[in-house]
Amino acid sequence: MALFFVERIKEQFGKDKEAVALYEQMTGKKVSQLYADAFRGDNTQKGTLFEFYIFKQLYKLKGEHKFLFNLFLPTEKGTTEIDVLFLHETGIYVYECKNYGGKIYGNEKYRMWNQYLEGKKNQFYNPIMQNQGHIKNLCKYLEPKETDNIFSFIAFSGRAEVKVEFEAKRLFVGITDDCIFETKHLIKKLEPCFTEDELLSIYHRLLPYTDNSDAIKDAHIEHVKRMQKTYK
């Protein structure tokens, strides 16, 4: 995430004290400290600011809704982590956040994508497939009728130029602001599919998986590293 994005958060975060207070209450994280750490170059905190930015843009939307952040769901081989889960009466919106800049090339069917940045080419695992795995695992924790309206969003930082081909429905790939725009567009046109009680049921079912120890997080990081080796 480029420095200008961190500065953008700094400029805006003081203007919406309600968003800051709600996010801090939900996550236990101080936004001012996140900003300070990100400014000093902490990439983990830059990613967390990314998630706060998404929350800030969506939390005032009409309709019943809940947020869950950094959801670690157990799998047979380890865990999967969902960056942002936006539960809305119109559906379940699953955000995979990518803190990548440069030119991003890919296709929903290609296992590996390319990033061109500062004259270098880097390859990374297809985040559409990555989020499909997250959603597949998420569905194990949902009732069958709750899985009918799940939307996958792959959100890159604003410094990325995204050139990705995809045709699948209920999928969007782009920079964060475009993903937020598409989310708002969907919510405006879709009819509610969840009642308040149904949303709360999903929320309370998944909430325990956001309260994770450092050991669980470290184990997840090691699992991701092992998986990345198999992608190459």
Side-chain angles (χ1 to χ4, degrees):
M1 189 178 305
L3 186 58
F4 83 85
F5 185 80
V6 177
E7 288 287 1
R8 185 176 181 183
I9 293 289
K10 179 184 178 183
E11 178 185 351
Q12 294 186 3
F13 107 91
K15 297 180 180 179
D16 195 338
K17 295 182 179 180
E18 181 183 10
V20 172
L22 286 172
Y23 181 82
E24 291 180 345
Q25 181 181 9
M26 286 188 296
T27 65
K29 301 172 182 176
K30 298 292 290 184
V31 173
S32 58
Q33 187 61 50
L34 292 176
Y35 163 74
D37 292 342
F39 193 81
R40 286 194 292 266
D42 187 323
N43 287 327
T44 298
Q45 304 302 31
K46 289 179 184 179
T48 305
L49 276 179
F50 203 161
E51 295 159 12
F52 168 69
Y53 181 74
I54 292 171
F55 167 75
K56 184 178 179 297
Q57 300 302 316
L58 297 178
Y59 85 101
K60 285 187 176 181
L61 289 181
K62 295 181 179 179
E64 298 294 335
H65 61 266
K66 289 285 187 181
F67 284 89
L68 291 166
F69 301 93
N70 307 123
L71 192 65
F72 288 82
L73 296 175
T75 68
E76 294 178 356
K77 298 181 180 180
T79 57
T80 57
E81 181 187 6
I82 295 175
D83 295 327
V84 180
L85 192 67
F86 181 42
L87 305 173
H88 191 272
E89 63 182 32
T90 59
I92 298 174
Y93 301 80
V94 184
Y95 271 80
E96 172 64 24
C97 301
K98 289 299 180 189
N99 179 20
Y100 298 167
K103 293 183 178 181
I104 307 296
Y105 292 89
N107 183 294
E108 63 181 316
K109 298 178 182 179
Y110 298 165
R111 185 175 178 83
M112 302 301 295
W113 288 8
N114 295 316
Q115 175 200 38
Y116 294 88
L117 180 65
E118 297 178 351
K120 296 181 180 180
K121 174 184 175 181
N122 302 300
Q123 287 196 315
F124 60 99
Y125 181 58
N126 181 338
I128 294 176
M129 294 181 179
Q130 182 182 5
N131 218 28
Q132 285 174 342
H134 295 167
I135 291 170
K136 181 179 179 180
N137 195 42
L138 172 65
C139 288
K140 297 176 183 178
Y141 298 83
L142 302 174
E143 299 295 333
K145 66 177 182 179
E146 296 171 344
T147 65
D148 291 338
N149 293 282
I150 298 179
F151 302 88
S152 176
F153 285 85
I154 313 301
F156 287 88
S157 78
R159 64 190 173 109
E161 184 180 348
V162 182
K163 299 178 179 293
V164 173
E165 298 176 351
F166 62 95
E167 296 179 355
K169 296 180 179 179
R170 299 178 182 177
L171 167 67
F172 188 83
V173 183
I175 63 171
T176 309
D177 283 342
D178 290 342
C179 288
I180 289 168
F181 178 86
E182 182 66 17
T183 302
K184 292 178 177 180
H185 174 71
L186 285 170
I187 286 173
K188 284 183 179 180
K189 75 175 187 178
L190 294 175
E191 294 294 327
C193 59
F194 296 120
T195 65
E196 180 180 4
D197 287 344
E198 288 170 337
L199 269 186
L200 286 174
S201 174
I202 298 171
Y203 174 77
H204 288 297
R205 206 180 311 150
L206 297 175
L207 182 61
Y209 298 102
T210 64
D211 186 15
N212 295 290
S213 66
D214 289 339
I216 291 176
K217 295 175 182 177
D218 290 342
H220 173 73
I221 292 171
E222 290 303 314
H223 172 65
V224 170
K225 288 179 179 178
R226 290 195 301 271
M227 293 301 295
Q228 287 175 339
K229 290 180 181 180
T230 67
Y231 299 150
K232 296 180 179 180

